[in-house]
Amino acid sequence: MKISVIVPVFNEEKYISATLDSIINQNFDDYEVIVVDDGSSDNTLKIVEDKFLNSSIPHKIIHQKNSGVSMARNRGIEESTGEYIVFVDGDDYILTNHLSQLYNPEYDFSLIQMVKKENDRLSDVHVYGADEIDCIDFIKQELEMKIPFNFVQLLFKSDIIKNNNLKYRHDISYGEDTDFALRALFYGNKIKISNEITYYYLQHHESLINTSKLKRFDYISVLEDLAEFFRENNRPDLVQLINESRIPKAIFGNMNYFFYNDYDYDEVIEKMKEMDLFNKLSNFKGDKKFSFKIKLFLFNPKLYYIMWKKFKNSI
């Protein structure tokens, strides 16, 4: 089998039919679909079973006790037989050329473009100027946040995942996908790049609610663990990028996200003090404009908050 498409689902009865239609109707041969139902309590499982009744696409439908999306993805990896692995979330959809654009057997990874869709609004797309990139260079650009990136854009070589025993972390609820992708990319050589948009990430009210919690700050500990991984693998340059760029930007970005969504100021600040995020924020080295914003905040957090609320569209 050339590609295994892994689809974790949990109570996706409103979306899963369209998702599976988009996967079944690919203009690509020799792939399997592995749907892992993570203990759905609605009609998701029946819809999945009915969808494959008249399909000739090789598939597995796995039902497990509710254990979280990471465990569902890990189960899908275990069950996969493909040379490569692709992940599609149960409320998104792909175009008919998604797999054919991704399949490049001379590369360890391939990448296509993804857009976020909210109602009729589409996000901007980062256009690459080259058709391939070294994996380490890609990791560096991600850590410097020079490129928007989501793990569903990638085709992963299965041997890299399985030979290095890579798993999605199930002890966290934010950032586990980026953690998995960057660890996998570390073991690869080059990424084949297509600027074709073939993946549509649907943002709906429920998904926005699920991510709007203070636990977004937990991503900082994920980045610290990633830094330790790079340290153990003798890449001090990547450790430095995490500590001096990625972590401060993650702190600042999530903090402003909370302010934008009217979270209680005192609650946000208390959480930041509890996690020692002020000190980690001060480690930033890089862009002068961004550095100025951080210094302004650290000098007087309350004043920054008041100014941010008043001028948030320009600050």
Side-chain angles (χ1 to χ4, degrees):
M1 200 67 67
K2 290 177 181 175
I3 299 177
S4 297
V5 181
I6 297 174
V7 188
V9 294
F10 174 71
N11 290 349
E12 308 283 6
E13 64 179 3
K14 289 193 284 186
Y15 311 102
I16 190 58
S17 181
T19 300
L20 292 179
D21 281 340
S22 74
I23 296 172
I24 291 170
N25 295 316
Q26 291 292 295
N27 62 1
F28 183 83
D29 296 323
D30 200 13
Y31 70 101
E32 65 178 353
V33 183
I34 302 172
V35 180
V36 184
D37 176 59
D38 189 40
S40 294
S41 57
D42 62 1
N43 290 320
T44 296
L45 185 58
K46 185 176 188 316
I47 294 171
V48 172
E49 291 170 340
D50 289 347
K51 187 62 66 174
F52 283 104
L53 278 177
N54 299 312
S55 172
S56 60
I57 302 294
H59 63 276
K60 297 177 185 175
I61 302 172
I62 300 161
H63 181 69
Q64 66 179 29
K65 182 176 70 173
N66 181 243
S67 307
V69 67
S70 289
M71 294 294 281
R73 289 178 185 140
N74 290 338
R75 179 70 184 279
I77 292 170
E78 291 170 8
E79 298 285 343
S80 66
T81 63
E83 180 188 356
Y84 289 89
I85 292 175
V86 167
F87 297 95
V88 178
D89 282 346
D91 54 354
D92 299 335
Y93 68 88
I94 56 178
L95 299 189
T96 55
N97 62 336
H98 183 67
L99 297 183
S100 57
Q101 280 291 319
L102 279 172
Y103 185 68
N104 291 280
E106 65 271 28
Y107 290 85
D108 291 331
F109 298 88
S110 295
L111 179 143
I112 48 76
Q113 301 307 315
M114 177 200 79
V115 291
K116 294 180 180 179
K117 183 178 181 182
E118 185 177 1
N119 298 321
D120 294 328
R121 232 175 19 200
L122 298 178
S123 65
D124 294 331
V125 176
H126 176 85
V127 178
Y128 289 84
D131 61 3
E132 66 175 39
I133 185 172
D134 182 83
C135 284
I136 294 296
D137 288 342
F138 184 89
I139 292 172
K140 288 179 178 179
Q141 289 191 46
E142 202 288 330
L143 294 179
E144 293 176 296
M145 295 187 73
K146 291 181 177 179
I147 51 171
F149 169 66
N150 190 296
F151 79 109
V152 295
Q153 294 175 247
L154 283 174
L155 175 92
F156 297 79
K157 191 165 190 176
S158 180
D159 284 350
I160 286 179
I161 294 175
K162 294 181 178 181
N163 292 347
N164 294 291
N165 196 31
L166 296 176
K167 307 277 188 188
Y168 285 89
R169 291 181 55 173
H170 56 84
D171 59 329
I172 54 175
S173 58
Y174 195 79
E176 78 289 343
D177 44 10
T178 303
D179 173 76
F180 177 87
L182 294 184
R183 288 174 190 260
L185 287 166
F186 183 78
Y187 293 108
N189 292 314
K190 288 188 179 293
I191 308 169
K192 177 65 176 175
I193 293 175
S194 168
N195 282 314
E196 188 92 9
I197 301 169
T198 63
Y199 193 104
Y200 284 75
Y201 176 98
L202 301 191
Q203 288 192 306
H204 42 81
H205 186 61
E206 297 94 327
S207 63
L208 292 174
I209 290 173
N210 289 338
T211 57
S212 60
K213 301 175 182 177
L214 280 178
K215 62 177 63 176
R216 287 173 68 109
F217 276 145
D218 292 345
Y219 186 41
I220 309 309
S221 64
V222 175
L223 290 169
E224 290 172 335
D225 290 343
L226 193 59
E228 184 59 30
F229 167 77
F230 290 138
R231 184 179 291 108
E232 291 171 354
N233 284 280
N234 300 312
R235 291 305 304 238
D237 54 333
L238 300 181
V239 175
Q240 185 177 6
L241 278 177
I242 289 177
N243 291 330
E244 296 181 0
S245 178
R246 194 65 171 92
I247 286 178
K249 286 181 177 179
I251 294 170
F252 207 67
N254 283 314
M255 178 192 77
N256 284 330
Y257 172 90
F258 295 135
F259 290 163
Y260 185 86
N261 287 283
D262 297 318
Y263 277 66
D264 181 74
Y265 167 82
D266 292 327
E267 185 181 352
V268 174
I269 296 301
E270 185 59 35
K271 182 69 172 178
M272 291 181 68
K273 289 178 179 177
E274 176 188 321
M275 297 181 65
D276 194 32
L277 300 188
F278 285 87
N279 283 331
K280 294 168 185 175
L281 195 54
S282 66
N283 290 330
F284 177 76
K285 290 183 175 60
D287 177 73
K288 290 182 179 179
K289 184 178 179 181
F290 192 75
S291 182
F292 174 75
K293 292 180 183 180
I294 290 176
K295 288 176 180 177
L296 177 63
F297 169 76
L298 293 175
F299 175 72
N300 192 323
K302 189 69 174 182
L303 177 61
Y304 173 88
Y305 173 74
I306 293 170
M307 290 177 63
W308 195 92
K309 293 296 283 186
K310 189 172 183 180
F311 304 108
K312 60 186 175 183
N313 291 328
S314 59
I315 198 171

